[in-house]
Amino acid sequence: MTPINSPTELLQRACNARENAYAPYSGFKVGAALQTESGAVYVGCNVESSVFGLTQCAERAAVTALIAGGDISFTAIAVVTNTGDFPCGPCRQFLAEFNLDAQVFVAQDADLKSYQSTTIRHLLPEPFRLNS
Ligand code: THU
């Protein structure tokens, strides 16, 4: 896989994962891609269920892939939707577990170059933390 050199490239990986999203109920497809310090990339997409509460967000799916892949932290996450929104509250908390200072890039699928950038710390100023 090509190394990631820019936010737009990480967003492109999120966009690719978004194509596989399973969102028959909301129609709202989300793709996420996490990059680690070593350059590894883990992706996720949202997966809905007819039991709506079981739905998994793309960001949390990407974190699950990160942990399953043997990594524990990431430096950036890219998220692509058709609105360019930032991750939901529960995903912010879930991401905060692994690096509060990670960069967050969000973009609309139609225009990955017009992304917005922030950090998880900015999105979740007072995260819940055990043992801190
Ligand atoms: N969703 C995500 O994947 N990430 C978010 O940050 C918010 C929402 C998904 C869940 C559901 O499948 C669809 O978007 C509509 O809420």
Side-chain angles (χ1 to χ4, degrees):
M1 205 50 97
T2 331
I4 303 290
N5 298 309
S6 70
T8 307
E9 287 175 25
L10 194 60
L11 284 158
Q12 184 59 59
R13 296 288 291 273
C15 202
N16 295 347
R18 181 175 179 268
E19 285 176 23
N20 297 327
Y22 178 75
Y25 305 108
S26 72
F28 190 79
K29 294 187 164 196
V30 186
L34 298 169
Q35 182 171 29
T36 69
E37 186 82 55
S38 69
V41 174
Y42 296 94
V43 300
C45 61
N46 55 330
V47 181
E48 298 185 346
S49 167
S50 56
V51 179
F52 297 158
L54 299 182
T55 290
Q56 190 179 24
C57 289
E59 296 89 331
R60 276 180 275 171
V63 168
T64 300
L66 171 89
I67 299 303
D71 274 307
I72 192 71
S73 190
F74 60 96
T75 54
I77 178 168
V79 181
V80 174
T81 62
N82 68 0
T83 57
D85 284 323
F86 289 101
C88 70
C91 283
R92 294 177 193 200
Q93 178 68 49
F94 205 72
L95 292 163
E97 181 85 20
F98 301 101
N99 183 8
L100 265 178
D101 293 311
Q103 293 285 314
V104 180
F105 305 113
V106 296
Q108 290 183 264
D109 57 335
D111 185 9
L112 298 186
K113 291 192 173 143
S114 300
Y115 61 85
Q116 294 188 78
S117 173
T118 185
T119 61
I120 294 166
R121 189 184 293 279
H122 182 80
L123 292 174
L124 191 70
E126 299 290 348
F128 176 77
R129 303 206 94 167
L130 284 178
N131 310 317
S132 63

